[in-house]
């Protein structure tokens, strides 16, 4: 059985951009600081060590009797459904014996987007608009939620649910824009909002860390006339609390 004191392994997608690993490490420290005494380690599915299996094996060798794995993913697309179970299966094949509980991803579940996710998006948006509440009479009158993009229709629906919920909290029209794999681009989403009457369109960022796709989405939106480009969620305190919320939810349903 896993318990409240079991170590936590965060699993990020990984990137060739060194800034992504730096952000993951910063989030790892933020989660540990938010819950003193909790052992938190970072791992990556691709583009660099440590891989999840190596971290799990190290924790087992150190004498831990169970581990909780938290996917740092904003949708339950291929990486969540295939890569993470595959990494755990490979660790089992390599000899891992301790129980490993896997939590929900950070993105929307059947219950919808978590309030901490929306709060983190609003925080990053407010940092570039100067207006925490936004709204129709605020600094922006339209928002694009820029995401990496996927061919997985179910994953795109979760991004759309996040955009709808964000728009409702801000009281502004909101559209999704993608960096790859599926239309529309972030720039096309900005253009569509402007065509519908918005004059001050800002971009909220459905990315955990900077990288090539994030940069592509931001440049597309900038060229289309966006008035503000939010930073990735990174180590925002709301994201650290969301990780802990997923951890607690999984314990209650185990």
């Amino acid at each position: 059985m896993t318990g409240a004191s079991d170590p936590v392994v965060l699993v990020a997608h990984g990137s060739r951009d060194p800034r992504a690993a730096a952000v993951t490490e910063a989030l790892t420290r933020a989660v540990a600081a938010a819950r003193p005494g909790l052992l938190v380690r970072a791992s990556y599915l691709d583009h660099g060590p440590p891989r999840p299996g190596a971290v799990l094996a190290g924790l087992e060798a150190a004498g831990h009797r169970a581990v909780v794995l938290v996917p740092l993913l904003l949708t339950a697309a291929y990486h969540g459904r295939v890569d993470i179970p595959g990494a755990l299966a490979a660790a089992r094949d390599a000899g891992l014996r301790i129980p490993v509980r896997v939590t929900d991803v950070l993105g929307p579940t059947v219950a919808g987007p978590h309030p901490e996710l929306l709060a983190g998006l609003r925080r990053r948006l407010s940092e570039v608009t100067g207006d925490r509440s936004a709204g129709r009479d605020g600094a922006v009158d339209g928002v694009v939620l820029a995401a990496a993009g996927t061919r997985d229709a179910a994953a795109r629906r979760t991004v759309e649910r996040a955009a709808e919920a964000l728009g409702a909290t801000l009281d502004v029209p909101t559209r999704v824009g993608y960096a790859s794999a599926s239309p529309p681009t972030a720039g096309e989403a900005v253009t569509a909002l402007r065509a519908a009457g918005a004059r001050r369109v800002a971009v909220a960022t459905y990315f955990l860390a900077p990288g090539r796709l994030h940069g592509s989405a931001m440049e597309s939106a900038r060229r289309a006339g966006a008035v503000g480009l939010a930073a990735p969620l990174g180590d925002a305190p709301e994201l650290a609390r969301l990780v802990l919320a997923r951890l607690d939810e999984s314990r209650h349903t185990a």
Side-chain angles (χ1 to χ4, degrees):
M1 294 291 291
T2 54
S5 61
D6 297 323
V8 173
V9 177
L10 307 182
V11 184
H13 175 264
S15 171
R16 293 185 178 87
D17 190 319
R19 295 175 297 172
V23 166
T24 302
E25 296 296 338
L27 178 58
T28 300
R29 293 190 295 271
V31 172
R35 186 163 293 179
L38 182 66
L39 178 61
V40 187
R41 295 286 185 265
S43 67
Y44 305 91
L45 290 170
D46 201 359
H47 300 305
R51 298 299 171 88
V55 177
L56 292 170
L59 291 169
E60 183 176 48
H64 295 283
R65 301 178 64 182
V67 181
V68 184
L69 190 155
V70 182
L72 298 183
L73 302 172
L74 294 175
T75 67
Y78 186 88
H79 299 299
R81 294 198 310 268
V82 177
D83 286 347
I84 286 180
L88 184 54
R92 294 288 185 211
D93 291 343
L96 187 75
R97 294 292 175 262
I98 58 174
V100 178
R101 185 172 76 247
V102 182
T103 76
D104 282 331
V105 299
L106 302 185
T109 64
V110 292
H114 195 281
E116 294 289 6
L117 175 60
L118 298 177
L121 291 169
R122 291 197 305 271
R123 170 189 288 274
R124 292 300 189 227
L125 194 58
S126 73
E127 291 169 353
V128 296
T129 64
D131 183 348
R132 183 166 294 277
S133 63
R136 297 180 187 276
D137 298 322
V140 299
D141 56 4
V143 169
V144 169
L145 183 62
T150 173
R151 294 182 177 87
D152 188 315
R156 291 198 303 274
R157 283 194 293 272
T158 67
V159 180
E160 291 160 4
R161 292 180 71 190
E164 291 166 1
L166 179 64
T169 66
L170 296 173
D171 191 28
V172 296
T174 306
R175 290 178 179 256
V176 175
Y178 295 107
S180 67
S182 54
T185 66
E188 289 168 345
V190 170
T191 298
L193 283 171
R194 288 169 61 86
R199 291 294 173 264
R200 302 180 306 279
V201 180
V203 180
T205 307
Y206 206 63
F207 289 84
L208 295 178
R212 179 180 60 84
L213 291 179
H214 172 259
S216 175
M218 295 301 101
E219 178 60 18
S220 171
R222 185 194 64 77
R223 291 197 306 266
V227 300
L229 306 173
L233 288 161
D235 62 343
E238 294 85 358
L239 202 66
R241 292 195 294 266
L242 174 54
V243 169
L244 294 175
R246 293 296 190 231
L247 174 64
D248 294 341
E249 290 163 0
S250 71
R251 184 180 300 121
H252 296 151
T253 57

